[in-house]
Amino acid sequence: MTRFNRMTSSIAVFFLGGTISMTAAAGGATTRLDGSALAASVPALAEMDVRLELHDAASVPSAALTFDAIADVVRSAIASDADGVVVVQGTDTIEETAFLIDLLWQAQTPVVVTGAMRTPSSPGADGPANLLAAVTVAAAAEFRGMGALVAFADQVHAARWVRKTHTTSVTAFASPDAGPVGMLVEGTAVRLVSLDRLPTYAPTRRFDSRVPVLAIGMDDGGELLAGVEDHCDGLVVAGLGAGHVPPSLAEPLGALAKQMPVVLASRAAAGPVLSRTYGSAGSETDLLGRGLLHAGLLDAFKARTLVRVALASGLDRPGVAAAFAVVGGWTRTPR
């Protein structure tokens, strides 16, 4: 651990790798810069009334991160007893890791996830601005008790809603269903709305459950459903539109739902799964009536995260259903 600029409040910064720390190399950018080098590249950090505690927790692309690795970071962050926490990582999995942190974060301390879309050597590199913004938000008392947040491109998003909406844009992160909960204005973190905390969980075992996401396409024959009951512990269905599948898939999905948690989400970029609008075979009403769980406003990959957290916390199928009713923000049942 490196201590940087010892002053008043303390911010623990955990570096996990990703584009923000990648340098050019033959064959493509690779992760090379450590936390000290990244902090030193942002002179404005030294002018803040904070003490940075830099932790090099990992040095990997975000696709290499695991649930257990993030849980270890959460434990270390809470044990640090800092006034605020920042997690710096690759952007590919930020929407999942931030939500995972949110579900595990039992402290009132602000915890802010950030990264970059451009490497440090790229023209217009966005990493320094995002790191500065994340530290600023983590140090702001206004964001205490709001759970995990994502700071990116001078906006602050709630982990439960944020999505990566573009593969390359520096404004890749958005919250389509809710909008940002804060913003950076002239170097100040401004909270726009209040935010009730989600329930938090305390897993009692490792994250070893197998929960795939099945994205449904037109004229889908369900070939990937073969053997799911033998090899998986749960399933998330990214259905068409507001939660629909071809009629031929309704019965096998209903059979699976009797054996394991099967969650109905949507492959659409925004909006909830419905619960009682359509009634044909394979509709949301039909599938929920067969025992599939309603993802609510959670996208398929956040739904997968919640299933894995619930299973690692020892919840049975009714417990997983109860978790979705609250975390998904959708407690209505089909008529």
Coordinates of all heavy atoms in Angstrom, one line a residue, residues 16 18 60-67 70 89-101 113 150 162 164 173 301-302 304-305:
L16 N -7.4 -2.4 -10.3 CA -7.6 -3.7 -10.7 C -7.1 -3.9 -12.2 O -7.1 -5.1 -12.7 CB -9.1 -4.2 -10.7 CG -9.8 -4.0 -9.3 CD1 -11.2 -4.5 -9.4 CD2 -9.0 -4.8 -8.2
G18 N -7.2 -2.8 -16.4 CA -8.1 -2.3 -17.4 C -7.4 -1.2 -18.3 O -6.2 -0.9 -18.1
V60 N -5.3 -6.8 -14.4 CA -5.9 -7.6 -15.4 C -6.9 -6.9 -16.2 O -7.5 -5.9 -15.8 CB -6.5 -8.9 -14.8 CG1 -5.5 -9.7 -14.1 CG2 -7.6 -8.5 -13.8
P61 N -7.2 -7.4 -17.4 CA -8.4 -6.8 -18.1 C -9.7 -7.2 -17.4 O -9.7 -8.2 -16.6 CB -8.4 -7.6 -19.5 CG -7.0 -8.1 -19.6 CD -6.5 -8.4 -18.2
S62 N -10.7 -6.4 -17.5 CA -11.9 -6.7 -16.7 C -12.6 -8.0 -17.0 O -13.3 -8.6 -16.2 CB -12.9 -5.5 -16.8 OG -13.4 -5.4 -18.1
A63 N -12.3 -8.5 -18.2 CA -12.9 -9.8 -18.5 C -12.3 -10.9 -17.7 O -12.9 -12.0 -17.7 CB -12.7 -10.1 -20.0
A64 N -11.2 -10.7 -17.1 CA -10.5 -11.7 -16.2 C -10.9 -11.6 -14.8 O -10.5 -12.4 -14.0 CB -9.0 -11.5 -16.4
L65 N -11.7 -10.6 -14.4 CA -12.2 -10.5 -13.0 C -13.2 -11.6 -12.7 O -13.9 -12.1 -13.5 CB -12.8 -9.1 -12.8 CG -11.8 -7.9 -12.9 CD1 -12.6 -6.6 -12.8 CD2 -10.8 -8.0 -11.8
T66 N -13.2 -11.9 -11.4 CA -14.2 -12.9 -10.9 C -15.0 -12.3 -9.8 O -14.6 -11.3 -9.1 CB -13.4 -14.2 -10.4 OG1 -12.7 -13.8 -9.2 CG2 -12.5 -14.7 -11.5
F67 N -16.1 -13.0 -9.5 CA -17.0 -12.6 -8.3 C -16.2 -12.7 -7.0 O -16.3 -11.8 -6.2 CB -18.2 -13.5 -8.3 CG -19.3 -13.1 -9.2 CD1 -19.2 -13.0 -10.6 CD2 -20.6 -12.8 -8.7 CE1 -20.2 -12.7 -11.4 CE2 -21.6 -12.4 -9.5 CZ -21.4 -12.4 -10.9
I70 N -13.8 -9.7 -6.7 CA -14.4 -8.5 -6.3 C -14.9 -8.5 -4.8 O -14.8 -7.5 -4.1 CB -15.6 -8.2 -7.2 CG1 -15.2 -8.0 -8.6 CG2 -16.4 -7.0 -6.7 CD1 -14.2 -6.8 -8.8
Q89 N -11.0 0.0 -12.7 CA -10.9 -1.3 -13.4 C -11.3 -1.1 -14.9 O -11.6 0.0 -15.3 CB -12.0 -2.3 -12.8 CG -13.4 -1.8 -13.0 CD -14.4 -3.0 -12.8 OE1 -14.7 -3.3 -11.7 NE2 -14.8 -3.6 -13.9
G90 N -11.2 -2.2 -15.6 CA -11.6 -2.1 -17.0 C -13.1 -1.9 -17.2 O -13.9 -2.3 -16.3
T91 N -13.6 -1.3 -18.3 CA -15.0 -0.9 -18.4 C -15.9 -2.1 -18.8 O -17.1 -2.0 -18.7 CB -15.1 0.2 -19.4 OG1 -14.6 -0.2 -20.7 CG2 -14.3 1.4 -18.9
D92 N -15.3 -3.1 -19.4 CA -16.2 -4.2 -20.0 C -17.2 -4.8 -18.9 O -18.3 -5.2 -19.3 CB -15.4 -5.3 -20.5 CG -14.7 -4.9 -21.9 OD1 -15.0 -3.8 -22.4 OD2 -13.9 -5.7 -22.4
T93 N -16.8 -4.8 -17.7 CA -17.6 -5.5 -16.7 C -18.0 -4.5 -15.6 O -18.6 -4.9 -14.5 CB -17.0 -6.7 -16.1 OG1 -15.7 -6.3 -15.5 CG2 -16.7 -7.8 -17.1
I94 N -17.8 -3.2 -15.8 CA -18.2 -2.3 -14.7 C -19.6 -2.4 -14.3 O -19.9 -2.3 -13.1 CB -17.8 -0.8 -15.1 CG1 -16.4 -0.5 -14.8 CG2 -18.7 0.2 -14.4 CD1 -15.9 0.9 -15.2
E95 N -20.6 -2.5 -15.2 CA -22.0 -2.6 -14.8 C -22.2 -3.8 -13.9 O -23.2 -3.8 -13.1 CB -22.9 -2.6 -16.0 CG -22.6 -3.7 -17.0 CD -23.4 -3.4 -18.3 OE1 -24.6 -3.4 -18.3 OE2 -22.7 -3.2 -19.4
E96 N -21.5 -4.9 -14.1 CA -21.7 -6.0 -13.2 C -20.9 -5.9 -11.9 O -21.4 -6.2 -10.8 CB -21.2 -7.3 -14.0 CG -22.1 -7.6 -15.2 CD -21.5 -8.7 -16.0 OE1 -21.6 -9.9 -15.7 OE2 -20.9 -8.3 -17.1
T97 N -19.6 -5.5 -12.0 CA -18.9 -5.4 -10.7 C -19.5 -4.4 -9.8 O -19.5 -4.5 -8.6 CB -17.4 -5.1 -11.0 OG1 -17.3 -3.9 -11.8 CG2 -16.7 -6.3 -11.7
A98 N -19.9 -3.2 -10.4 CA -20.5 -2.2 -9.5 C -21.7 -2.7 -8.8 O -22.0 -2.4 -7.6 CB -20.8 -0.9 -10.3
F99 N -22.6 -3.4 -9.5 CA -23.8 -4.0 -8.9 C -23.4 -5.0 -7.9 O -24.1 -5.1 -6.8 CB -24.7 -4.5 -10.0 CG -26.0 -5.0 -9.6 CD1 -26.9 -4.2 -8.8 CD2 -26.5 -6.3 -9.8 CE1 -28.1 -4.6 -8.4 CE2 -27.7 -6.7 -9.4 CZ -28.5 -5.9 -8.7
L100 N -22.4 -5.9 -8.2 CA -22.0 -6.8 -7.2 C -21.5 -6.1 -5.9 O -21.9 -6.5 -4.8 CB -20.9 -7.7 -7.8 CG -20.2 -8.7 -6.8 CD1 -21.2 -9.7 -6.2 CD2 -19.1 -9.4 -7.6
I101 N -20.7 -5.1 -6.1 CA -20.3 -4.3 -4.9 C -21.5 -3.8 -4.2 O -21.5 -3.8 -2.9 CB -19.3 -3.2 -5.3 CG1 -18.0 -3.8 -5.9 CG2 -19.0 -2.3 -4.2 CD1 -17.1 -2.8 -6.5
V113 N -16.9 3.3 -8.6 CA -16.2 2.5 -9.6 C -16.0 3.4 -10.8 O -16.9 4.2 -11.2 CB -17.0 1.3 -9.9 CG1 -16.2 0.4 -10.9 CG2 -17.4 0.5 -8.7
V150 N -21.1 4.7 -10.0 CA -20.1 4.7 -11.1 C -19.9 6.2 -11.5 O -20.9 6.9 -11.8 CB -20.6 3.9 -12.3 CG1 -19.7 4.1 -13.5 CG2 -20.7 2.4 -11.9
V162 N -26.9 1.5 -14.0 CA -25.9 1.9 -15.0 C -25.7 0.8 -16.0 O -25.7 -0.4 -15.7 CB -24.6 2.3 -14.4 CG1 -23.8 1.1 -13.8 CG2 -23.7 3.1 -15.4
K164 N -23.4 -0.1 -19.8 CA -22.4 0.3 -20.8 C -23.1 0.2 -22.1 O -23.5 -0.8 -22.6 CB -21.2 -0.6 -20.8 CG -20.1 -0.2 -21.8 CD -18.8 -1.0 -21.7 CE -17.8 -0.4 -22.6 NZ -16.5 -1.2 -22.6
F173 N -21.2 5.2 -20.6 CA -22.0 4.7 -19.5 C -23.3 5.6 -19.3 O -23.1 6.9 -19.4 CB -21.2 4.6 -18.2 CG -20.3 3.5 -18.2 CD1 -19.0 3.6 -18.8 CD2 -20.7 2.2 -17.8 CE1 -18.2 2.5 -18.8 CE2 -19.9 1.1 -17.8 CZ -18.6 1.2 -18.4
F301 N -27.8 -9.3 -17.2 CA -26.5 -9.5 -16.5 C -26.5 -9.1 -15.0 O -25.9 -9.7 -14.2 CB -25.4 -8.9 -17.3 CG -25.2 -9.6 -18.6 CD1 -25.8 -9.0 -19.8 CD2 -24.6 -10.8 -18.7 CE1 -25.7 -9.7 -21.0 CE2 -24.5 -11.5 -19.9 CZ -25.0 -10.9 -21.1
K302 N -27.3 -8.1 -14.7 CA -27.5 -7.7 -13.3 C -28.4 -8.8 -12.6 O -28.1 -9.2 -11.5 CB -28.1 -6.3 -13.2 CG -27.1 -5.2 -13.4 CD -27.8 -3.9 -13.1 CE -26.7 -2.7 -13.2 NZ -26.1 -2.6 -14.5
R304 N -28.3 -11.9 -13.4 CA -27.4 -13.0 -13.2 C -26.6 -12.8 -11.9 O -26.3 -13.7 -11.1 CB -26.5 -13.2 -14.4 CG -25.4 -14.3 -14.2 CD -24.6 -14.4 -15.5 NE -23.5 -15.3 -15.4 CZ -22.2 -15.0 -15.0 NH1 -21.9 -13.8 -14.7 NH2 -21.3 -16.0 -14.9
T305 N -26.1 -11.5 -11.8 CA -25.3 -11.2 -10.6 C -26.1 -11.4 -9.3 O -25.6 -12.0 -8.3 CB -24.9 -9.7 -10.7 OG1 -24.1 -9.5 -11.8 CG2 -24.1 -9.3 -9.4

